[in-house]
Amino acid sequence: MIFTIFIILIVTFGVIFSMFYIEISKRTKKEEYRINEAAASFAAVEIDGDNAKTYVTTRKTDAEYQTVMRKLLEYTHDNSITRISFISYGSTVGYYVYDTDGKTLGTKVSYDDYTSSIKLRLVECREKWSITRAEKNYTYRPVRTADDMAVGYIIIESYAENSSLWLIVIAMIMFSVAMLLGVSWIIVFMLKKSVFNPIETFASAAAAFTGSESEDDNGDELKRKFETGRRDEIGHLGQSLISMINVINNSRKDFSSAVFDATHDGMTKTFNKRHYENKIDSFRSCSSICVIYFDVNNLKLINDTLGHERGDYVIKRAAEYIKEVSFKDSMCFRMGGDEFLLVVTNHSYRDIYQLINRLDSDCPLILSAETDSVKCSIAYGYAYDKTNYSYEDLLAEAEENMYRKKYEIKQQLNMPDR
């Protein structure tokens, strides 16, 4: 009987394995292309078609060219992309404009078998597509000038997953699970009478003791024995266990509430400055870190003219907004009356770029109500770096950038300088 069950398990897991492998292969390829598409979108935002056309014509770089090149290199360093190139294709040959693999502006690139077969598409520069060749994924994204003239193609290159490796890993996992289930079934069968039956008896007794309803006479009898002071091993164990659970539950609730109150600001529910001071040492040893300093404009004015209740409303709105745009693993601290600090650790430049884009797109963000006569907005400044950074220098840089942004927003909204 055991041998028959084992054979059934092996056949079942074989079918499941095949289905898993096919589905994982599809999802893996889809995810690889999605990563390439994200990189192509990033490069398309950074590369200006008109400027690229000028570089192709003059073969001369400038400061903006170097800035774009640096951002492309940073992106490949932070992600699973192996190479980002931008090539301007002609009828006989192509020329590198940007390349993270070391090819300089104007370097010729000859047509190979693949590019020759799609030469017309490359020259017309209108379609985008992804393809896997020689264990590498390639994504082609066209770039054109503002007046719709062809410039060239952004080419994203990344390694394709090794399907045979997935096959081996999945096979080993499925076989291990099958063996584990078979052995587990045998052990459970052998120990059922000596272990599981007493556990079931105790579970029924504990359920009756805590007041659960039972329709059979046995459940009522167990409950009655516990209520009248059952003196056997199960009775003593049940009473002790339930008393212990009650104590633990009450203590855990009290402890959790005390920890939360000690580490959080009462008004905004963000972390408080005391907790920030306890975390500073950990911020000095992250693989990467971004600090964003926030400050509310015109809070004093709204407190003086409309009252502290309206000022508290503005502070709460500021905290809600910061928590809304933050990553789940970010830490938001209330540093003072209207100052907040958001610390984002171990995130790539691409993640930080998206976060700052969100802040820039929302700016200027008015925190006060439409009916308020005083406008309050939120100013911010950030600094980002990787290993071997000085946390104190980053914090000072973020604060300086925040004051610069604060001044810009006041000028934009014609706010009083106070």
Side-chain angles (χ1 to χ4, degrees), residues 187-199:
I187 294 174
V188 169
F189 179 78
M190 293 175 61
L191 298 181
K192 181 176 177 60
K193 290 184 179 180
S194 59
V195 177
F196 292 162
N197 285 344
I199 290 177

Side-chain angles (χ1 to χ4, degrees), residues 259-329:
V259 170
F260 185 89
D261 291 341
T263 57
H264 286 72
D265 174 61
M267 179 189 297
T268 63
K269 306 308 177 185
T270 58
F271 290 115
N272 57 27
K273 193 170 183 178
R274 178 193 302 171
H275 189 55
Y276 168 74
E277 292 171 350
N278 292 332
K279 299 291 293 184
I280 288 179
D281 287 341
S282 66
F283 295 154
R284 296 190 176 100
S285 58
C286 301
S287 61
S288 68
I289 187 169
C290 177
V291 289
I292 309 177
Y293 218 103
F294 293 89
D295 182 83
V296 177
N297 291 331
N298 275 359
L299 181 64
K300 184 177 185 305
L301 182 59
I302 201 170
N303 281 334
D304 294 343
T305 57
L306 301 180
H308 286 274
E309 182 178 348
R310 299 309 298 165
D312 292 346
Y313 168 80
V314 169
I315 291 174
K316 291 177 182 178
R317 281 209 59 195
E320 291 170 358
Y321 173 73
I322 295 171
K323 288 187 283 188
E324 177 188 341
V325 301
S326 303
F327 301 113
K328 289 184 178 180
D329 56 352

Side-chain angles (χ1 to χ4, degrees), residues 377-390:
S377 65
I378 189 167
Y380 55 90
Y382 81 100
Y384 172 76
D385 209 337
K386 298 182 181 178
T387 52
N388 299 324
Y389 57 83
S390 167

Side-chain angles (χ1 to χ4, degrees), residues 157-269:
E157 179 181 316
S158 64
Y159 284 109
E161 289 287 347
N162 191 335
S163 299
S164 60
L165 179 61
W166 273 108
L167 182 66
I168 295 173
V169 171
I170 296 174
M172 292 178 62
I173 293 174
M174 300 296 283
F175 180 76
S176 300
V177 172
M179 291 295 295
L180 181 63
L181 286 177
V183 173
S184 299
W185 183 85
I186 295 173
I187 294 174
V188 169
F189 179 78
M190 293 175 61
L191 298 181
K192 181 176 177 60
K193 290 184 179 180
S194 59
V195 177
F196 292 162
N197 285 344
I199 290 177
E200 291 175 358
T201 302
F202 172 72
S204 299
F209 181 77
T210 54
S212 60
E213 295 295 332
S214 176
E215 294 180 356
D216 54 52
D217 294 336
N218 186 44
D220 292 336
E221 181 183 358
L222 287 170
K223 181 178 179 181
R224 184 169 56 256
K225 286 182 178 181
F226 274 107
E227 289 173 343
T228 58
R230 181 171 176 170
R231 298 184 179 277
D232 60 8
E233 290 81 358
I234 292 179
H236 290 303
L237 182 58
Q239 293 172 1
S240 299
L241 179 61
I242 291 175
S243 298
M244 181 179 66
I245 289 174
N246 290 334
V247 171
I248 291 175
N249 283 338
N250 293 333
S251 300
R252 183 173 56 187
K253 292 177 181 177
D254 294 340
F255 179 74
S256 298
S257 178
V259 170
F260 185 89
D261 291 341
T263 57
H264 286 72
D265 174 61
M267 179 189 297
T268 63
K269 306 308 177 185

Side-chain angles (χ1 to χ4, degrees), residues 21 59 65 87 125 127 166 198 205-206 231 266 275 280 304 320 326 336 353 358 378 382 393 411:
Y21 176 70
R59 298 292 197 275
Y65 177 93
I87 301 176
C125 192
E127 301 179 52
W166 273 108
R231 298 184 179 277
H275 189 55
I280 288 179
D304 294 343
E320 291 170 358
S326 303
Y353 180 84
R358 168 68 187 276
I378 189 167
Y382 81 100
D393 291 346
Q411 295 297 312

